[in-house]
Amino acid sequence: MRPLLWLGSSKKDLLALPVDVRKFFGHALDAAQRGEQHGAAKVLKGFGGAGVLEIVEDDSGGVARLSKEEQTRY
């Protein structure tokens, strides 16, 4: 399983979201760690194919976005 690297306040920000949104992102991150792509994950435009994925979840409080960079190890 691939490790997650939290940058800045990203983990704290994720934990501040509503429970349902955290669970949604948790499933998406789990899929990414296993080398799979969650159905809600889309390539984030503007990075020139750098392997950055965006996961968007709408809930009653607004829209939450999560970005994840795929890194290739050599």
Side-chain angles (χ1 to χ4, degrees):
M1 184 173 272
R2 297 175 184 173
L4 286 176
L5 174 64
W6 300 96
L7 299 177
S9 65
S10 57
K11 187 172 183 179
K12 184 178 92 172
D13 297 341
L14 179 65
L15 294 174
L17 295 171
V19 173
D20 290 341
V21 176
R22 286 196 318 253
K23 286 182 181 181
F24 180 85
F25 285 144
H27 289 294
L29 288 171
D30 179 64
Q33 284 186 277
R34 290 183 280 116
E36 302 171 4
Q37 186 169 328
H38 189 272
K42 307 272 187 276
V43 175
L44 187 60
K45 296 177 182 169
F47 286 87
V52 179
L53 300 178
E54 178 182 46
I55 304 157
V56 178
E57 172 66 353
D58 294 325
D59 80 327
S60 61
V63 176
R65 287 182 164 73
L66 174 79
S67 298
K68 190 227 180 275
E69 180 178 358
E70 293 288 322
Q71 293 193 354
T72 305
R73 300 213 188 268
Y74 296 98

